[in-house]
Amino acid sequence: MDKNKLKLTSSEIGTLWGEYVNGTMTDVVNRYMFSIIEDESIKAVFEDAIKTSGKQKKQIIAFIENEGFPVPIGFTESDLNKGTKRLFTDIFCLNYLHIMTLHGLLGHTTSLGVSVREDLRHFYDSCDNDAKRMYHQTIELLLEKGEFQRDPYFYPATNPEYISSQDFTDGFFGKGRRLTALEIISISFNLKKSIMAKTLSIGFSQVSQSKEVRKFLEDSEKTADDQIQAFSKIMHADNLPVPKSWETEVTTSTDAPFSDKLMMYHIGFLFQAAQAYHGTGLASAMRTDLVAAYESVILKNLMVTKKWFDIMVKNKWLEQPPLAPNRKEITKEK
């Protein structure tokens, strides 16, 4: 049996479809940022990202077409307004690439995990290697420029210990113990992503052409800020630092570099992706106040996602992924 002639499964087609749509969105943003960046070292990293994206796009198209599926529309030149004024600073662009690279790393790993066919596994392996290279490049550059935000430091205990009290789970009324290193992983991760979502919402809202889209983006900014405040409060209670905000990295430009469709999709992507990270944080939380914070954030994200879905469908901006066969409809056609 030729391992590369096996038909792709629904999961494999689904990952290719998602990788294509999300990849074309990020590529449009990267090409805009490349056009406005002045720092040559940052520009070089974006050039690498754009070349890598182009290579991966061609391979994904080949996989999809060979299976007889239509290639998604995704995002194209029509979603990029060339020659517009600078909306973001160089440092925000670099932080953006770093955070989106993290999304890519996790996405490629998930895609690899559901892939069976050998050529597809090798493809996602190469995508993962590309993302790891970009991850190292963005961190090294952020460190070099003094802009990388490291997580809080802990001082080592004398000996390992077992949990000895039921109070370990209590986080209300001042009785709670300090945060664990495992809990801070998710809090810090989610804080950084919420900070980026808020910053993009600010930038996108001031350039959006549609009042409806602008209102949604303003609401998503507030939702992201509420999440930042909720997690920051928990960190501050233990005298731990939180990542700095990036609002000042947005210029005063009202010149839209992207289509409303792309800006809406991007914010929706971030809020949907955040649900998975918040779920992971909830699973690792062992303090009641932290559990309550995650549950509240997840509920508010669901409300944002519902509004996002309604606007996307209304404007015919949301592509339909491949669907399972409708056996009842097929039967009716006879």
Side-chain angles (χ1 to χ4, degrees), residues 45-277:
V45 179
F46 269 84
E47 185 176 17
D48 185 11
I50 292 166
K51 287 179 180 177
T52 300
S53 178
K55 175 189 70 175
Q56 292 175 359
K57 180 180 176 181
K58 288 179 182 177
Q59 291 173 294
I60 292 173
I61 289 173
F63 278 123
I64 293 175
E65 287 183 337
N66 287 341
E67 293 296 310
F69 285 86
V71 176
I73 298 166
F75 296 89
T76 65
E77 289 293 325
S78 64
D79 297 295
L80 177 61
N81 301 321
K82 295 180 180 179
T84 54
K85 296 178 183 177
R86 167 186 285 267
L87 184 58
F88 304 109
T89 65
D90 285 6
I91 289 302
F92 176 76
C93 292
L94 181 55
N95 275 295
Y96 171 87
L97 184 58
H98 176 65
I99 295 293
M100 293 305 290
T101 297
L102 284 173
H103 281 295
L105 268 171
L106 294 168
H108 298 326
T109 301
T110 301
S111 297
L112 177 62
V114 299
S115 297
V116 176
R117 214 170 78 179
E118 187 176 27
D119 57 347
L120 194 56
R121 282 186 280 119
H122 286 316
F123 168 65
Y124 284 129
D125 236 356
S126 69
C127 289
D128 189 53
N129 289 332
D130 289 334
K132 284 188 284 190
R133 185 186 72 254
M134 191 61 55
Y135 176 74
H136 290 303
Q137 287 179 339
T138 54
I139 284 186
E140 289 297 327
L141 203 46
L142 284 166
L143 285 170
E144 179 186 312
K145 296 182 178 301
E147 293 289 341
F148 187 78
Q149 302 184 67
R150 303 190 69 179
D151 295 334
Y153 291 101
F154 275 10
Y155 292 95
T158 306
N159 298 299
E161 298 176 19
Y162 284 102
I163 296 170
S164 59
S165 170
Q166 294 296 326
D167 289 342
F168 192 82
T169 62
D170 195 355
F172 291 111
F173 312 117
K175 299 178 184 177
R177 45 81 188 164
R178 292 160 295 164
L179 292 167
T180 69
L182 297 177
E183 289 168 335
I184 288 178
I185 293 172
S186 292
I187 294 174
S188 181
F189 199 55
N190 284 309
L191 267 170
K192 290 173 184 176
K193 291 181 179 302
S194 293
I195 288 168
M196 190 177 83
K198 179 184 177 182
T199 307
L200 283 176
S201 295
I202 291 171
F204 290 170
S205 65
Q206 69 188 39
V207 300
S208 172
Q209 304 299 302
S210 160
K211 288 183 180 179
E212 183 179 40
V213 170
R214 193 177 310 123
K215 176 65 168 59
F216 170 83
L217 292 170
E218 288 170 352
D219 290 344
S220 68
E221 175 199 336
K222 185 179 184 308
T223 300
D225 186 61
D226 288 345
Q227 294 172 9
I228 293 166
Q229 298 306 319
F231 288 125
S232 295
K233 182 180 178 181
I234 291 172
M235 294 283 275
H236 285 148
D238 274 2
N239 297 310
L240 296 172
V242 299
K244 70 176 183 180
S245 66
W246 294 329
E247 290 99 322
T248 55
E249 306 299 330
V250 181
T251 73
T252 56
S253 172
T254 56
D255 204 1
F258 312 114
S259 66
D260 280 0
K261 170 190 169 184
L262 183 143
M263 293 188 287
M264 277 293 297
Y265 184 87
H266 203 325
I267 296 302
F269 165 81
L270 291 176
F271 273 91
Q272 290 176 60
Q275 291 294 66
Y277 305 131

Side-chain angles (χ1 to χ4, degrees), residues 2-27:
D2 188 337
K3 297 176 184 177
N4 293 334
K5 287 187 178 179
L6 294 170
K7 285 184 67 64
L8 293 178
T9 66
S10 55
S11 297
E12 290 168 330
I13 286 294
T15 60
L16 288 167
W17 193 93
E19 292 261 359
Y20 184 89
V21 174
N22 295 334
T24 54
M25 173 199 72
T26 306
D27 182 58

Side-chain angles (χ1 to χ4, degrees), residues 216 223 275 296-310:
F216 170 83
T223 300
Q275 291 294 66
S296 175
V297 163
I298 289 170
L299 180 59
K300 288 177 181 177
N301 272 11
L302 285 172
M303 294 169 67
V304 170
T305 303
K306 175 63 171 64
K307 292 178 184 175
W308 172 84
F309 181 82
D310 290 343

